């Protein structure tokens, strides 16, 4: 049986991940003018962190039934949004320093349609509100009270998003009142999801409650098109997780897509974006040990990759053959 290069690479990556190796082994040097590869009529979905496994499974129900990448990413990220045990997305998310859960989300489709909400309160499915902004308004971003008012007009229901556990953590945090985000999954992990459907179309979604105990009104990268998420259907898509301030500083996801346009493999594009994060940290005399930023990327040919600042970030991948969690390669090992 003839195995296509792409299938071979994917199988190797997955085998590598099963062996505990960093899964992505794209060439170290950027491949400028690399052929874009064949359009694979095989759906694929990838998303950030461990909870991406369940989210991908939901997205897969749509992708495997011939549905669109847009429907898939929305349905997928709604899974952690609805789960009170996931403490950094949607219902159950950790609050800001005033004790209020506020959500950021955005969505982008293959035509360049975009929608986003920032500082949305008391509405669980921020991603669906972002999609409604995209489809039902002349705008691309709604914030705070206006976003909530729009959501209510669209039939979304007000809910208390602060679960008892998050409330207790916040009360504990208030005792010291010290703002120090922890680098990996302890107090923030956004879900960013990228999907390619059977029509060869890409879409992405990104949703979060942001940094735990953030200042009221703080907005991270996740709802900002070009920072937390970017899709160009001619090239590929990228999404980010981690310290939003650092992702915004380099217009991260847009940068990853532009690098792929220049011929970088998905992993090398993520790697270059990470090195820009690190460079800017160095220039400002900041310690990269204090931050985490991770990117995942998917190109039009169905090739994927990831890179992060420090060890600890992983992402979930689902295809017709595989369902795996992959450790992202990293810039610096921090124990
Ligand atoms: C933010 N990027 O609000 C989000 C948080 C996150 O892993 O992704 N944490 O800055």
């Amino acid at each position: 049986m003839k195995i296509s290069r792409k299938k071979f690479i994917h199988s190797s990556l997955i085998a590598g991940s099963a062996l505990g190796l960093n899964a992505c082994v794209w060439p170290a040097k950027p491949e400028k003018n690399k052929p874009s590869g064949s359009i694979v009529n095989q759906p694929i979905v990838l998303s950030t962190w461990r909870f991406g496994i369940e989210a991908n499974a939901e997205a897969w129900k749509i992708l495997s039934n011939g549905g669109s990448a847009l429907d898939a990413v929305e349905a997928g990220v709604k899974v952690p949004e609805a789960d009170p045990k996931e403490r950094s997305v949607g219902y159950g998310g950790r609050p800001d320093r005033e004790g209020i859960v506020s959500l950021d989300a955005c969505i982008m489709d293959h035509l360049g349609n975009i929608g986003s909400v920032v500082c949305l309160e008391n509405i669980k499915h921020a991603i669906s509100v972002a999609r409604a902004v995209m489809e039902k308004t002349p705008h691309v971003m709604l914030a705070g009270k206006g976003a909530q008012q729009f959501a209510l007009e669209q039939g979304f229901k007000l809910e208390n998003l602060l679960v008892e556990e998050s409330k207790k953590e916040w009360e504990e945090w208030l005792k010291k009142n010290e703002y120090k985000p922890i680098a990996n999954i302890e107090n923030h992990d956004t879900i960013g999801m990228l999907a390619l459907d059977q029509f060869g179309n890409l879409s992405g979604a990104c949703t979060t409650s942001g940094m735990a105990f953030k200042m009221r009104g703080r907005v991270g990268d996740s709802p900002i098109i070009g920072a937390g998420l970017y899709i160009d259907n001619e090239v590929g898509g990228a999404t980010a997780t981690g310290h939003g301030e650092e992702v915004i500083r380099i217009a991260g996801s847009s940068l990853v897509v532009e690098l792929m346009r220049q011929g970088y493999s998905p992993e090398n594009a993520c790697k270059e974006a990470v090195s820009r994060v690190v460079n800017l940290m160095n220039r400002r005399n900041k310690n990269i040990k204090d931050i985490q930023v991770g990117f995942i990327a998917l190109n039009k040919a169905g090739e994927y990759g990831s890179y992060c600042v420090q060890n600890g970030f992983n992402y979930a991948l689902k295809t017709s053959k595989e369902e795996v969690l992959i450790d992202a390669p990293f810039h610096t090992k921090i124990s």
Side-chain angles (χ1 to χ4, degrees):
M1 192 179 80
K2 197 171 167 231
I3 300 177
S4 74
R5 179 175 137 73
K6 183 199 146 264
K7 276 191 189 147
F8 174 74
I9 291 169
H10 280 193
S11 311
S12 315
L13 295 178
I14 290 155
S17 123
L19 291 170
L21 304 173
N22 286 329
C24 301
V25 285
W26 303 98
K29 284 204 177 147
E31 295 175 355
K32 296 281 173 66
N33 306 320
K34 182 182 156 218
S36 57
S38 56
I39 301 297
V40 186
N41 290 323
Q42 287 270 349
I44 174 172
V45 56
L46 57 157
S47 53
T48 54
W49 303 109
R50 175 197 42 78
F51 51 32
I53 293 276
E54 289 86 39
N56 285 356
E58 194 61 29
W60 191 255
K61 289 181 192 162
I62 292 170
L63 291 172
S64 59
N65 278 310
S68 72
L70 180 64
D71 288 342
V73 294
E74 181 192 4
V77 303
K78 282 174 78 174
V79 173
E81 275 189 341
D83 187 346
K85 293 191 296 309
E86 298 301 355
R87 314 282 307 293
S88 52
V89 178
Y91 176 47
R94 293 184 180 85
D96 63 19
R97 56 185 62 183
E98 312 295 323
I100 296 163
V101 181
S102 77
L103 306 180
D104 292 340
C106 74
I107 194 160
M108 184 163 191
D109 75 7
H110 63 291
L111 296 172
N113 292 308
I114 53 176
S116 161
V117 285
V118 303
C119 298
L120 177 67
E121 292 171 14
N122 296 108
I123 307 277
K124 187 191 289 177
H125 289 302
I127 199 65
S128 300
V129 184
R131 182 166 177 178
V133 170
M134 174 170 99
E135 291 177 342
K136 298 185 176 158
T137 79
H139 307 303
V140 298
M141 187 181 262
L142 291 178
K145 283 268 171 249
Q148 190 188 70
Q149 181 186 322
F150 168 71
L152 295 176
E153 285 162 10
Q154 293 299 312
F156 291 84
K157 299 273 172 285
L158 288 180
E159 289 174 73
N160 175 23
L161 303 182
L162 185 65
V163 298
E164 204 45 43
E165 242 180 321
S166 291
K167 187 163 175 257
K168 276 195 198 129
E169 273 183 40
W170 169 64
E171 284 164 352
E172 200 49 40
W173 176 83
L174 276 179
K175 289 180 189 161
K176 276 199 185 158
N177 212 339
E178 188 182 69
Y179 186 63
K180 193 167 191 306
I182 302 167
N184 271 317
I185 50 177
E186 294 88 345
N187 73 348
H188 56 92
D189 25 310
T190 295
I191 185 153
M193 178 179 279
L194 306 169
L196 183 63
D197 62 29
Q198 68 168 32
F199 312 105
N201 288 328
L202 287 156
S203 286
C206 188
T207 178
T208 190
S209 52
M211 294 290 184
F213 320 130
K214 60 194 175 185
M215 286 176 71
R216 182 136 178 80
R218 178 264 187 189
V219 178
D221 60 315
S222 305
I224 299 179
I225 294 291
L229 175 73
Y230 199 71
I231 301 290
D232 183 325
N233 207 45
E234 290 177 356
V235 178
T239 186
T241 181
H243 289 74
E245 284 75 3
E246 304 313 317
V247 178
I248 292 170
R249 217 180 295 285
I250 63 154
S253 294
S254 164
L255 173 63
V256 171
V257 172
E258 288 313 305
L259 289 165
M260 290 195 290
R261 192 192 308 279
Q262 291 171 29
Y264 283 64
S265 68
E267 181 183 323
N268 276 332
C270 294
K271 187 175 181 182
E272 175 62 22
V274 163
S275 79
R276 302 228 188 151
V277 168
V278 171
N279 283 344
L280 286 189
M281 290 288 286
N282 289 340
R283 265 193 248 168
R284 285 154 45 242
N285 279 328
K286 304 278 184 198
N287 190 343
I288 62 163
K289 284 188 182 166
D290 293 336
I291 65 138
Q292 174 65 300
V293 168
F295 293 102
I296 61 173
L298 173 65
N299 71 16
K300 189 71 180 159
E303 296 167 328
Y304 58 89
S306 173
Y307 214 83
C308 59
V309 169
Q310 53 171 291
N311 53 308
F313 169 55
N314 48 29
Y315 66 104
L317 169 78
K318 175 99 183 88
T319 68
S320 58
K321 301 204 169 49
E322 307 290 343
E323 187 168 29
V324 286
L325 191 64
I326 300 173
D327 288 332
F330 47 83
H331 178 275
T332 299
K333 182 163 174 57
I334 297 172
S335 55

